[in-house]
Amino acid sequence: AALRLDGDAMQFAASALRSDPTFALNALKLDSAALRWCTGVLLENKQFALDAVAISPLSLEHLPPQFKSDRDVVLTAVRINGFALQYASSHLREDPEVVLEAIERTPDSLGF
């Protein structure tokens, strides 16, 4: 119930809930920063990372570095919100396809 009011309330959830993908993705719908409170095991899962950025592209900021460098994860995010490009690895911020996808979705993302 608390998550309905504030996605940051996830920090007070039991560890079992913070490692539950359904619970975490629901929290993410409320607050892209909810990933800060997920357990490491959940954050190491690529499918979870893909699901997370599909729900909240800017949550890329809170994913581990390996996903900021993962082309599939970054493309999923920037195809929804080009501003997610700012959280991609420097290598992917220089990838022509990734940049093109970002600016097609969000022209103002060119500055990243």
Side-chain angles (χ1 to χ4, degrees):
L3 284 177
R4 290 186 182 144
L5 302 174
D6 181 2
D8 235 10
M10 186 168 173
Q11 68 182 303
F12 302 109
S15 179
L17 287 175
R18 290 185 290 123
S19 62
D20 179 272
T22 302
F23 184 81
L25 293 172
N26 282 325
L28 189 59
K29 291 175 184 176
L30 299 172
D31 182 354
S32 66
L35 289 182
R36 292 179 299 177
W37 311 113
C38 293
T39 62
V41 172
L42 192 57
L43 291 176
E44 299 298 319
N45 182 296
K46 182 173 179 175
Q47 186 57 57
F48 177 78
L50 287 164
D51 292 343
V53 297
I55 290 170
S56 177
L58 299 180
S59 68
L60 183 62
E61 175 184 14
H62 302 289
L63 288 173
Q66 75 258 25
F67 296 123
K68 294 176 183 187
S69 297
D70 185 296
R71 201 163 194 279
D72 295 333
V73 173
V74 171
L75 278 171
T76 298
V78 300
R79 284 178 174 146
I80 299 167
N81 185 334
F83 288 128
L85 183 63
Q86 66 187 307
Y87 303 118
S89 68
S90 58
H91 173 73
L92 288 178
R93 286 194 312 265
E94 295 173 2
D95 181 304
E97 182 184 358
V98 172
V99 172
L100 183 60
E101 289 285 347
I103 60 175
E104 282 181 356
R105 183 65 52 212
T106 312
D108 291 341
S109 64
L110 187 58
F112 299 110

